Amino acid sequence: MRPLTEEETRVMFEKIAKYVGENLQLLVDRPDGTYCFRLHNDRVYYVSEKILKLAANISGDKLVSLGTCFGKFTKTHKFRLHITALDYLAPYAKGFGVAAKSTQDCRKVDPMAIVVFHQADIGEYVRHEETLT
Amino acid sequence: MSTVYPERMSPGGAMEGQSVEELLAKAERDEAEKLQRITVHKELELEFDLGNLLASDRNPPTGLRRAGPTPEVELKALARDNTQLLINQLWQLPTERVEEALVARLPEPTTRLPREKPVPRPRPLTRWQQFARLKGIRPKKKTNLVWDEVSGQWRRRWGYQRARDDTKEWLIEVPGGADPLEDQFAKRIQAKKERVAKNELNRLRNLARAHKMQLPSAAGMHPTGHQSKEELGRAMQVAKVSTASVGRFQERLPKEKAPRGSGKKRKFQPLFGDFAAEKKSQLELLRVMKSKKPQLDVTRATNKQMREEDQEEAAKRRKMSQKGKRKGGRQGPGGKRKGVPPSQGGKRKAGLGGKMNSGPLPFGGKRKGGQHQGGKRRK
Protein backbone atom coordinates (compact mmCIF):
# COMPACT_ATOMS: atom_id res chain seq x y z
CA MET A 1 0.00 0.00 0.00
CA ARG A 2 1.35 3.38 -0.89
CA PRO A 3 0.16 6.86 -1.85
CA LEU A 4 -0.12 7.69 -5.54
CA THR A 5 2.72 9.38 -7.35
CA GLU A 6 2.20 12.73 -9.09
CA GLU A 7 1.86 11.06 -12.47
CA GLU A 8 -0.65 8.49 -11.24
CA THR A 9 -2.72 11.16 -9.48
CA ARG A 10 -2.81 13.24 -12.62
CA VAL A 11 -3.98 10.34 -14.77
CA MET A 12 -6.65 9.40 -12.26
CA PHE A 13 -7.93 12.95 -11.84
CA GLU A 14 -8.14 13.44 -15.57
CA LYS A 15 -10.33 10.36 -15.84
CA ILE A 16 -12.59 11.28 -12.97
CA ALA A 17 -12.81 14.89 -14.10
CA LYS A 18 -14.49 13.71 -17.29
CA TYR A 19 -17.48 12.57 -15.24
CA VAL A 20 -17.44 14.93 -12.36
CA GLY A 21 -15.70 18.05 -13.59
CA GLU A 22 -14.69 20.71 -11.13
CA ASN A 23 -16.50 19.05 -8.25
CA LEU A 24 -13.54 16.71 -7.95
CA GLN A 25 -12.05 19.06 -5.40
CA LEU A 26 -15.01 18.29 -3.15
CA LEU A 27 -13.85 14.68 -3.14
CA VAL A 28 -10.30 15.64 -2.33
CA ASP A 29 -11.14 18.20 0.32
CA ARG A 30 -14.13 17.02 2.33
CA PRO A 31 -15.63 18.90 5.27
CA ASP A 32 -16.57 15.75 7.17
CA GLY A 33 -13.17 14.10 7.39
CA THR A 34 -9.79 13.54 5.80
CA TYR A 35 -10.06 11.11 2.92
CA CYS A 36 -7.16 10.02 0.79
CA PHE A 37 -6.30 7.83 -2.17
CA ARG A 38 -4.04 4.86 -1.67
CA LEU A 39 -2.69 2.35 -4.14
CA HIS A 40 -2.71 -1.32 -3.25
CA ASN A 41 -1.97 -4.04 -5.82
CA ASP A 42 -2.58 -1.61 -8.72
CA ARG A 43 -5.99 -0.65 -7.37
CA VAL A 44 -6.83 2.80 -6.11
CA TYR A 45 -8.82 2.97 -2.87
CA TYR A 46 -10.58 6.02 -1.48
CA VAL A 47 -10.33 5.66 2.25
CA SER A 48 -10.80 7.80 5.33
CA GLU A 49 -7.82 8.51 7.52
CA LYS A 50 -9.23 6.49 10.42
CA ILE A 51 -9.73 3.36 8.32
CA LEU A 52 -6.33 3.85 6.74
CA LYS A 53 -4.64 3.81 10.12
CA LEU A 54 -6.42 0.58 10.98
CA ALA A 55 -5.58 -1.00 7.65
CA ALA A 56 -1.91 -0.20 8.11
CA ASN A 57 -1.80 -2.89 10.78
CA ILE A 58 -2.56 -5.62 8.26
CA SER A 59 0.30 -7.03 6.24
CA GLY A 60 0.24 -6.23 2.57
CA ASP A 61 -0.18 -9.75 1.25
CA LYS A 62 -3.15 -10.41 3.56
CA LEU A 63 -4.90 -7.12 2.86
CA VAL A 64 -7.62 -7.56 0.25
CA SER A 65 -9.36 -4.24 0.14
CA LEU A 66 -9.87 -1.06 2.12
CA GLY A 67 -12.33 1.80 1.91
CA THR A 68 -13.88 2.11 -1.55
CA CYS A 69 -12.16 0.93 -4.69
CA PHE A 70 -12.32 3.71 -7.26
CA GLY A 71 -10.57 1.84 -10.01
CA LYS A 72 -7.33 0.28 -11.04
CA PHE A 73 -4.25 1.05 -13.05
CA THR A 74 -3.72 -1.30 -15.93
CA LYS A 75 -0.37 -2.81 -16.90
CA THR A 76 0.23 0.08 -19.26
CA HIS A 77 -0.59 2.59 -16.49
CA LYS A 78 -3.95 3.70 -17.77
CA PHE A 79 -6.63 4.29 -15.21
CA ARG A 80 -9.87 2.30 -15.43
CA LEU A 81 -12.72 3.56 -13.30
CA HIS A 82 -14.81 0.92 -11.52
CA ILE A 83 -18.53 0.83 -10.75
CA THR A 84 -17.76 0.89 -7.04
CA ALA A 85 -16.83 4.53 -7.38
CA LEU A 86 -20.38 5.39 -8.48
CA ASP A 87 -21.67 6.17 -4.99
CA TYR A 88 -19.04 8.85 -4.58
CA LEU A 89 -19.23 10.25 -8.07
CA ALA A 90 -22.99 10.29 -8.49
CA PRO A 91 -23.70 13.30 -6.24
CA TYR A 92 -21.23 15.41 -8.20
CA ALA A 93 -21.99 14.03 -11.63
CA LYS A 94 -22.72 16.22 -14.57
CA GLY A 95 -25.50 14.03 -15.97
CA PHE A 96 -24.82 10.35 -16.62
CA GLY A 97 -25.76 8.97 -19.93
CA VAL A 98 -25.42 8.98 -23.65
CA ALA A 99 -26.26 12.17 -25.52
CA ALA A 100 -29.43 11.79 -27.56
CA LYS A 101 -28.90 14.95 -29.57
CA SER A 102 -25.79 16.70 -30.81
CA THR A 103 -24.41 19.72 -28.98
CA GLN A 104 -25.87 22.18 -31.44
CA ASP A 105 -29.28 20.58 -31.39
CA CYS A 106 -29.30 20.55 -27.63
CA ARG A 107 -29.33 24.33 -27.65
CA LYS A 108 -32.24 24.72 -30.04
CA VAL A 109 -34.49 22.04 -28.74
CA ASP A 110 -37.77 22.56 -26.81
CA PRO A 111 -37.73 22.09 -23.02
CA MET A 112 -39.47 18.71 -23.03
CA ALA A 113 -37.19 16.95 -25.50
CA ILE A 114 -34.99 14.05 -24.40
CA VAL A 115 -31.38 15.05 -24.38
CA VAL A 116 -29.66 12.26 -22.46
CA PHE A 117 -30.32 8.55 -22.37
CA HIS A 118 -29.65 7.14 -18.93
CA GLN A 119 -28.11 3.76 -19.57
CA ALA A 120 -27.84 1.68 -16.47
CA ASP A 121 -25.84 -1.45 -15.85
CA ILE A 122 -27.49 -4.65 -14.70
CA GLY A 123 -26.68 -3.86 -11.09
CA GLU A 124 -28.81 -0.72 -10.98
CA TYR A 125 -31.91 -2.74 -10.16
CA VAL A 126 -30.13 -4.13 -7.16
CA ARG A 127 -28.54 -0.90 -6.06
CA HIS A 128 -31.66 1.22 -6.20
CA GLU A 129 -34.14 -1.47 -5.20
CA GLU A 130 -35.95 0.73 -2.75
CA THR A 131 -36.38 3.74 -5.02
CA LEU A 132 -37.45 2.00 -8.23
CA THR A 133 -41.14 1.37 -7.44
CA MET B 1 3.90 10.71 106.31
CA SER B 2 2.82 12.20 103.23
CA THR B 3 -0.48 13.69 102.86
CA VAL B 4 -1.82 14.50 99.56
CA TYR B 5 -3.52 17.72 99.18
CA PRO B 6 -4.78 17.65 95.77
CA GLU B 7 -5.96 21.19 95.83
CA ARG B 8 -2.63 22.42 97.09
CA MET B 9 -0.68 20.20 94.76
CA SER B 10 -2.27 21.79 91.84
CA PRO B 11 -2.97 25.41 92.54
CA GLY B 12 -4.73 25.99 89.28
CA GLY B 13 -6.08 22.52 89.81
CA ALA B 14 -9.36 22.73 88.07
CA MET B 15 -7.89 24.46 85.06
CA GLU B 16 -4.93 22.11 84.76
CA GLY B 17 -7.17 19.14 85.25
CA GLN B 18 -9.29 20.41 82.49
CA SER B 19 -6.30 21.06 80.30
CA VAL B 20 -4.89 17.63 81.10
CA GLU B 21 -8.18 16.11 80.20
CA GLU B 22 -8.30 18.24 77.18
CA LEU B 23 -4.84 17.17 76.23
CA LEU B 24 -5.68 13.55 76.75
CA ALA B 25 -8.85 13.88 74.73
CA LYS B 26 -6.98 15.68 72.02
CA ALA B 27 -4.33 12.99 71.98
CA GLU B 28 -7.01 10.36 71.74
CA ARG B 29 -8.71 12.17 68.93
CA ASP B 30 -5.42 12.50 67.10
CA GLU B 31 -4.77 8.78 67.52
CA ALA B 32 -8.19 7.94 66.19
CA GLU B 33 -7.73 10.27 63.27
CA LYS B 34 -4.36 8.81 62.44
CA LEU B 35 -5.76 5.32 62.66
CA GLN B 36 -8.66 6.36 60.50
CA ARG B 37 -6.26 7.74 57.96
CA ILE B 38 -4.16 4.63 57.77
CA THR B 39 -6.84 2.04 58.20
CA VAL B 40 -9.01 1.44 55.20
CA HIS B 41 -12.06 -0.72 55.28
CA LYS B 42 -12.51 -2.98 52.30
CA GLU B 43 -15.07 -5.72 51.86
CA LEU B 44 -12.63 -7.89 50.00
CA GLU B 45 -8.97 -7.85 50.93
CA LEU B 46 -6.54 -6.68 48.29
CA GLU B 47 -4.09 -9.05 46.67
CA PHE B 48 -0.53 -7.87 46.97
CA ASP B 49 2.48 -8.67 44.88
CA LEU B 50 5.06 -6.63 46.70
CA GLY B 51 7.87 -7.77 44.41
CA ASN B 52 6.24 -5.79 41.62
CA LEU B 53 4.70 -3.20 44.00
CA LEU B 54 1.33 -4.37 42.79
CA ALA B 55 -1.99 -4.25 44.63
CA SER B 56 -5.07 -5.79 42.99
CA ASP B 57 -8.45 -4.60 44.17
CA ARG B 58 -11.25 -7.05 43.44
CA ASN B 59 -13.99 -5.09 45.14
CA PRO B 60 -16.93 -4.26 42.87
CA PRO B 61 -16.76 -0.56 41.88
CA THR B 62 -20.19 0.41 43.16
CA GLY B 63 -18.95 3.75 44.39
CA LEU B 64 -17.67 4.62 40.93
CA ARG B 65 -20.85 3.49 39.22
CA ARG B 66 -22.87 5.77 41.46
CA ALA B 67 -20.59 8.68 40.78
CA GLY B 68 -22.02 9.67 37.41
CA PRO B 69 -20.30 11.49 34.58
CA THR B 70 -17.45 13.03 36.61
CA PRO B 71 -16.07 10.43 38.95
CA GLU B 72 -12.81 12.30 39.65
CA VAL B 73 -13.42 12.68 43.40
CA GLU B 74 -14.38 9.04 43.87
CA LEU B 75 -11.47 7.89 41.75
CA LYS B 76 -9.07 9.96 43.77
CA ALA B 77 -10.44 8.57 47.03
CA LEU B 78 -10.21 5.02 45.72
CA ALA B 79 -6.64 5.57 44.60
CA ARG B 80 -5.70 7.04 47.96
CA ASP B 81 -7.22 4.14 49.85
CA ASN B 82 -5.54 1.48 47.77
CA THR B 83 -2.18 3.22 47.90
CA GLN B 84 -2.52 3.49 51.68
CA LEU B 85 -3.09 -0.24 51.95
CA LEU B 86 -0.08 -0.94 49.74
CA ILE B 87 2.12 1.32 51.84
CA ASN B 88 0.87 -0.38 55.00
CA GLN B 89 1.97 -3.69 53.54
CA LEU B 90 5.34 -2.26 52.61
CA TRP B 91 5.88 -1.04 56.15
CA GLN B 92 5.49 -4.60 57.36
CA LEU B 93 8.44 -5.82 55.32
CA PRO B 94 11.86 -6.37 56.91
CA THR B 95 13.82 -3.14 56.68
CA GLU B 96 17.49 -2.35 56.66
CA ARG B 97 19.62 0.73 56.60
CA VAL B 98 21.58 1.52 53.46
CA GLU B 99 23.68 4.70 53.55
CA GLU B 100 21.46 6.53 56.00
CA ALA B 101 18.25 5.57 54.23
CA LEU B 102 15.67 3.15 55.52
CA VAL B 103 15.08 0.53 52.88
CA ALA B 104 12.52 -2.26 52.76
CA ARG B 105 13.64 -5.49 51.17
CA LEU B 106 11.00 -6.55 48.61
CA PRO B 107 10.17 -10.22 48.22
CA GLU B 108 10.33 -12.08 44.91
CA PRO B 109 7.61 -11.02 42.44
CA THR B 110 4.80 -13.53 42.17
CA THR B 111 3.01 -12.23 39.06
CA ARG B 112 4.22 -13.90 35.90
CA LEU B 113 4.76 -11.23 33.25
CA PRO B 114 4.20 -12.09 29.59
CA ARG B 115 7.13 -12.39 27.17
CA GLU B 116 8.66 -9.17 26.05
CA LYS B 117 9.87 -10.49 22.71
CA PRO B 118 8.32 -13.19 20.51
CA VAL B 119 9.31 -16.82 20.90
CA PRO B 120 12.61 -17.50 19.15
CA ARG B 121 12.11 -19.53 16.00
CA PRO B 122 13.86 -22.89 15.77
CA ARG B 123 17.33 -22.55 14.33
CA PRO B 124 18.18 -24.39 11.14
CA LEU B 125 20.45 -27.39 11.59
CA THR B 126 24.13 -26.90 10.97
CA ARG B 127 25.80 -28.82 8.15
CA TRP B 128 27.22 -31.37 10.56
CA GLN B 129 23.88 -31.88 12.27
CA GLN B 130 22.19 -32.46 8.92
CA PHE B 131 24.85 -34.97 7.97
CA ALA B 132 24.68 -36.73 11.33
CA ARG B 133 20.92 -36.94 11.11
CA LEU B 134 21.18 -38.34 7.62
CA LYS B 135 23.71 -40.98 8.56
CA GLY B 136 22.18 -41.68 11.94
CA ILE B 137 25.30 -40.73 13.86
CA ARG B 138 24.74 -40.27 17.58
CA PRO B 139 27.09 -38.29 19.80
CA LYS B 140 29.41 -40.74 21.54
CA LYS B 141 29.84 -40.11 25.21
CA LYS B 142 33.56 -39.65 25.83
CA THR B 143 35.42 -39.68 29.12
CA ASN B 144 36.83 -36.41 30.37
CA LEU B 145 40.25 -37.75 31.35
CA VAL B 146 42.62 -39.91 29.34
CA TRP B 147 45.59 -41.84 30.60
CA ASP B 148 48.76 -40.25 29.38
CA GLU B 149 51.65 -42.72 29.16
CA VAL B 150 54.35 -40.12 28.71
CA SER B 151 53.64 -38.23 31.90
CA GLY B 152 52.14 -41.21 33.70
CA GLN B 153 49.00 -39.47 34.89
CA TRP B 154 45.43 -38.78 33.91
CA ARG B 155 45.27 -35.80 31.70
CA ARG B 156 42.26 -34.12 30.09
CA ARG B 157 41.34 -35.02 26.54
CA TRP B 158 41.86 -31.52 25.12
CA GLY B 159 42.81 -28.12 26.46
CA TYR B 160 45.47 -27.00 28.94
CA GLN B 161 48.01 -29.75 29.70
CA ARG B 162 46.26 -32.24 27.54
CA ALA B 163 47.22 -35.87 27.13
CA ARG B 164 48.67 -35.95 23.63
CA ASP B 165 49.85 -32.44 22.88
CA ASP B 166 51.20 -32.09 19.39
CA THR B 167 52.77 -28.73 20.03
CA LYS B 168 54.99 -29.98 22.87
CA GLU B 169 56.92 -32.43 20.69
CA TRP B 170 60.60 -31.58 20.49
CA LEU B 171 61.38 -34.01 17.69
CA ILE B 172 59.48 -34.47 14.47
CA GLU B 173 60.74 -37.02 11.95
CA VAL B 174 60.86 -35.85 8.37
CA PRO B 175 58.35 -38.02 6.47
CA GLY B 176 59.66 -40.14 3.60
CA GLY B 177 58.65 -38.09 0.64
CA ALA B 178 59.04 -34.59 2.08
CA ASP B 179 61.67 -31.99 1.34
CA PRO B 180 64.50 -32.34 3.98
CA LEU B 181 64.95 -28.58 4.22
CA GLU B 182 61.30 -27.94 5.04
CA ASP B 183 60.49 -26.77 8.57
CA GLN B 184 58.20 -29.49 9.95
CA PHE B 185 57.37 -27.49 13.06
CA ALA B 186 56.26 -24.51 11.04
CA LYS B 187 54.31 -26.82 8.80
CA ARG B 188 52.47 -28.22 11.78
CA ILE B 189 51.69 -24.77 13.15
CA GLN B 190 50.45 -23.66 9.74
CA ALA B 191 48.21 -26.69 9.41
CA LYS B 192 46.71 -25.97 12.82
CA LYS B 193 46.03 -22.36 11.88
CA GLU B 194 44.29 -23.46 8.72
CA ARG B 195 42.13 -25.91 10.63
CA VAL B 196 41.16 -23.23 13.13
CA ALA B 197 40.33 -20.78 10.36
CA LYS B 198 38.23 -23.34 8.54
CA ASN B 199 36.36 -24.13 11.74
CA GLU B 200 35.71 -20.46 12.36
CA LEU B 201 34.46 -19.98 8.82
CA ASN B 202 32.06 -22.88 9.18
CA ARG B 203 30.81 -21.55 12.48
CA LEU B 204 30.12 -18.14 10.97
CA ARG B 205 28.41 -19.71 8.02
CA ASN B 206 26.16 -21.72 10.30
CA LEU B 207 25.39 -18.57 12.22
CA ALA B 208 24.59 -16.65 9.06
CA ARG B 209 22.32 -19.44 7.92
CA ALA B 210 20.54 -19.39 11.27
CA HIS B 211 19.95 -15.67 11.12
CA LYS B 212 19.41 -15.67 7.34
CA MET B 213 22.12 -13.05 7.01
CA GLN B 214 24.78 -12.75 4.41
CA LEU B 215 28.43 -13.22 5.29
CA PRO B 216 30.57 -10.30 4.21
CA SER B 217 32.75 -12.28 1.82
CA ALA B 218 35.77 -11.09 -0.12
CA ALA B 219 34.40 -9.75 -3.42
CA GLY B 220 31.54 -12.22 -3.27
CA MET B 221 33.80 -15.17 -4.06
CA HIS B 222 33.82 -18.24 -1.90
CA PRO B 223 37.21 -19.69 -0.85
CA THR B 224 36.21 -23.27 -1.61
CA GLY B 225 34.41 -22.41 -4.81
CA HIS B 226 30.98 -23.82 -3.89
CA GLN B 227 28.74 -20.99 -4.96
CA SER B 228 25.27 -20.78 -6.41
CA LYS B 229 24.51 -19.18 -9.74
CA GLU B 230 22.87 -16.17 -8.10
CA GLU B 231 25.85 -15.54 -5.83
CA LEU B 232 28.24 -15.70 -8.78
CA GLY B 233 25.99 -13.39 -10.74
CA ARG B 234 25.93 -10.91 -7.93
CA ALA B 235 29.72 -11.07 -7.51
CA MET B 236 30.12 -10.49 -11.24
CA GLN B 237 27.75 -7.52 -11.14
CA VAL B 238 29.61 -5.95 -8.24
CA ALA B 239 32.93 -6.45 -10.02
CA LYS B 240 31.54 -4.88 -13.17
CA VAL B 241 30.36 -1.80 -11.36
CA SER B 242 33.62 -1.36 -9.42
CA THR B 243 35.38 0.69 -12.08
CA ALA B 244 36.15 4.40 -12.18
CA SER B 245 33.18 5.00 -14.50
CA VAL B 246 30.91 2.82 -12.37
CA GLY B 247 30.67 0.18 -15.09
CA ARG B 248 29.52 2.44 -17.92
CA PHE B 249 32.19 1.43 -20.45
CA GLN B 250 32.47 -2.25 -19.56
CA GLU B 251 31.77 -4.45 -22.54
CA ARG B 252 29.70 -7.55 -22.23
CA LEU B 253 30.67 -10.91 -23.67
CA PRO B 254 29.12 -11.74 -27.08
CA LYS B 255 26.18 -13.74 -25.75
CA GLU B 256 25.92 -12.17 -22.32
CA LYS B 257 22.52 -10.76 -21.43
CA ALA B 258 21.92 -7.49 -19.67
CA PRO B 259 21.30 -7.87 -15.93
CA ARG B 260 17.67 -7.56 -14.84
CA GLY B 261 16.52 -5.23 -12.15
CA SER B 262 19.64 -3.09 -11.95
CA GLY B 263 17.80 0.19 -12.38
CA LYS B 264 17.31 2.81 -9.74
CA LYS B 265 14.93 1.88 -6.96
CA ARG B 266 11.84 4.11 -6.88
CA LYS B 267 11.08 6.00 -3.72
CA PHE B 268 7.48 6.58 -2.74
CA GLN B 269 5.88 8.91 -0.27
CA PRO B 270 5.33 7.41 3.19
CA LEU B 271 1.95 5.85 3.88
CA PHE B 272 0.81 8.38 6.49
CA GLY B 273 2.62 11.40 5.29
CA ASP B 274 1.35 14.83 6.05
CA PHE B 275 -2.31 14.61 5.05
CA ALA B 276 -2.64 18.36 4.75
CA ALA B 277 0.35 18.57 2.41
CA GLU B 278 -1.04 15.75 0.30
CA LYS B 279 -4.38 17.50 0.04
CA LYS B 280 -2.69 20.76 -0.89
CA SER B 281 -0.63 19.18 -3.66
CA GLN B 282 -3.71 17.44 -5.06
CA LEU B 283 -5.72 20.66 -5.05
CA GLU B 284 -2.83 22.41 -6.76
CA LEU B 285 -2.80 19.71 -9.41
CA LEU B 286 -6.53 20.16 -9.90
CA ARG B 287 -6.12 23.89 -10.21
CA VAL B 288 -3.47 23.42 -12.87
CA MET B 289 -5.70 20.97 -14.74
CA LYS B 290 -8.60 23.34 -14.55
CA SER B 291 -6.67 26.36 -15.79
CA LYS B 292 -6.87 25.02 -19.40
CA LYS B 293 -3.58 26.71 -20.24
CA PRO B 294 -0.65 24.52 -21.21
CA GLN B 295 1.74 25.00 -18.32
CA LEU B 296 5.41 25.56 -19.07
CA ASP B 297 7.23 22.31 -18.42
CA VAL B 298 10.62 23.66 -17.40
CA THR B 299 12.60 20.45 -17.87
CA ARG B 300 11.13 19.85 -21.30
CA ALA B 301 11.82 23.39 -22.37
CA THR B 302 15.43 23.33 -21.18
CA ASN B 303 16.07 19.96 -22.83
CA LYS B 304 14.64 21.24 -26.08
CA GLN B 305 16.82 24.32 -25.89
CA MET B 306 19.93 22.28 -25.14
CA ARG B 307 19.23 19.91 -28.00
CA GLU B 308 18.75 22.78 -30.41
CA GLU B 309 22.08 24.27 -29.34
CA ASP B 310 23.83 20.90 -29.73
CA GLN B 311 22.44 20.46 -33.19
CA GLU B 312 23.55 23.94 -34.22
CA GLU B 313 27.03 23.22 -32.94
CA ALA B 314 27.11 19.86 -34.72
CA ALA B 315 26.04 21.43 -38.00
CA LYS B 316 28.71 24.10 -37.61
CA ARG B 317 31.40 21.51 -36.91
CA ARG B 318 30.33 19.50 -39.93
CA LYS B 319 30.62 22.53 -42.12
CA MET B 320 34.09 23.30 -40.72
CA SER B 321 35.31 19.71 -41.22
CA GLN B 322 33.96 19.60 -44.78
CA LYS B 323 35.65 22.89 -45.56
CA GLY B 324 38.84 21.70 -43.92
CA LYS B 325 38.85 18.43 -45.90
CA ARG B 326 38.33 20.15 -49.21
CA LYS B 327 41.00 22.75 -48.48
CA GLY B 328 43.41 20.11 -47.16
CA GLY B 329 43.02 18.07 -50.36
CA ARG B 330 43.88 21.10 -52.52
CA GLN B 331 46.77 22.37 -50.41
CA GLY B 332 48.47 19.03 -50.00
CA PRO B 333 50.40 17.65 -47.07
CA GLY B 334 52.46 20.79 -46.46
CA GLY B 335 49.57 23.13 -45.86
CA LYS B 336 48.16 23.88 -42.47
CA ARG B 337 44.99 22.03 -41.86
CA LYS B 338 42.15 24.20 -40.75
CA GLY B 339 40.05 22.88 -37.97
CA VAL B 340 40.51 19.18 -37.38
CA PRO B 341 42.44 16.50 -39.36
CA PRO B 342 40.29 14.65 -41.91
CA SER B 343 40.31 11.29 -40.17
CA GLN B 344 38.84 12.77 -37.05
CA GLY B 345 36.51 14.88 -39.11
CA GLY B 346 35.44 11.75 -40.93
CA LYS B 347 34.75 9.97 -37.71
CA ARG B 348 32.82 12.86 -36.39
CA LYS B 349 30.84 13.07 -39.60
CA ALA B 350 29.88 9.46 -39.25
CA GLY B 351 28.92 10.12 -35.69
CA LEU B 352 27.05 13.19 -36.76
CA GLY B 353 25.33 11.22 -39.46
CA GLY B 354 24.10 8.88 -36.83
CA LYS B 355 22.99 11.75 -34.69
CA MET B 356 21.29 13.54 -37.55
CA ASN B 357 19.24 10.45 -38.24
CA SER B 358 17.78 10.56 -34.83
CA GLY B 359 17.47 14.31 -34.89
CA PRO B 360 14.20 15.10 -36.58
CA LEU B 361 12.21 12.30 -35.03
CA PRO B 362 12.23 13.33 -31.38
CA PHE B 363 11.71 16.90 -32.49
CA GLY B 364 8.60 16.05 -34.39
CA GLY B 365 7.51 13.62 -31.81
CA LYS B 366 7.94 16.14 -29.07
CA ARG B 367 6.04 18.75 -30.94
CA LYS B 368 3.27 16.30 -31.60
CA GLY B 369 3.28 15.24 -28.02
CA GLY B 370 3.12 18.83 -26.90
CA GLN B 371 0.16 19.55 -29.06
CA HIS B 372 -1.58 16.44 -27.92
CA GLN B 373 -1.10 17.43 -24.34
CA GLY B 374 -2.40 20.87 -25.01
CA GLY B 375 -5.41 19.35 -26.69
CA LYS B 376 -6.09 17.13 -23.75
CA ARG B 377 -5.77 19.98 -21.35
CA ARG B 378 -8.18 22.10 -23.35
CA LYS B 379 -10.77 19.39 -22.92
Short mmCIF file of all heavy atoms in Angstrom, two decimals, chain A residues 1 23 39 63 90 98 106:
data_model
loop_
_atom_site.label_atom_id
_atom_site.label_comp_id
_atom_site.label_asym_id
_atom_site.label_seq_id
_atom_site.Cartn_x
_atom_site.Cartn_y
_atom_site.Cartn_z
N MET A 1 0.85 -1.19 0.00
CA MET A 1 0.00 0.00 0.00
C MET A 1 0.88 1.23 0.00
O MET A 1 1.82 1.32 0.78
CB MET A 1 -0.85 -0.02 1.28
CG MET A 1 -2.07 0.78 1.08
SD MET A 1 -3.14 1.04 2.46
CE MET A 1 -2.55 0.10 3.78
N ASN A 23 -16.12 19.49 -9.59
CA ASN A 23 -16.50 19.05 -8.25
C ASN A 23 -15.54 18.03 -7.67
O ASN A 23 -15.71 17.60 -6.54
CB ASN A 23 -17.90 18.44 -8.29
CG ASN A 23 -18.93 19.43 -8.75
OD1 ASN A 23 -18.75 20.63 -8.55
ND2 ASN A 23 -19.97 18.96 -9.39
N LEU A 39 -2.84 3.38 -3.11
CA LEU A 39 -2.69 2.35 -4.14
C LEU A 39 -2.31 1.03 -3.49
O LEU A 39 -1.37 0.99 -2.70
CB LEU A 39 -1.58 2.78 -5.09
CG LEU A 39 -1.53 2.02 -6.40
CD1 LEU A 39 -2.58 2.55 -7.29
CD2 LEU A 39 -0.18 2.17 -7.04
N LEU A 63 -3.89 -8.16 3.00
CA LEU A 63 -4.90 -7.12 2.86
C LEU A 63 -5.57 -7.26 1.50
O LEU A 63 -4.90 -7.25 0.47
CB LEU A 63 -4.24 -5.74 2.98
CG LEU A 63 -5.15 -4.54 2.88
CD1 LEU A 63 -6.08 -4.47 4.07
CD2 LEU A 63 -4.31 -3.28 2.82
N ALA A 90 -21.63 9.95 -8.09
CA ALA A 90 -22.99 10.29 -8.49
C ALA A 90 -23.47 11.64 -7.97
O ALA A 90 -24.07 12.41 -8.72
CB ALA A 90 -23.95 9.19 -8.07
N VAL A 98 -25.83 8.78 -22.26
CA VAL A 98 -25.42 8.98 -23.65
C VAL A 98 -26.23 10.15 -24.20
O VAL A 98 -27.43 10.25 -23.95
CB VAL A 98 -25.71 7.70 -24.45
CG1 VAL A 98 -25.32 7.89 -25.88
CG2 VAL A 98 -24.98 6.54 -23.83
N CYS A 106 -28.91 20.41 -29.04
CA CYS A 106 -29.30 20.55 -27.63
C CYS A 106 -29.69 21.97 -27.30
O CYS A 106 -30.56 22.22 -26.46
CB CYS A 106 -28.14 20.15 -26.71
SG CYS A 106 -28.05 18.41 -26.36
#
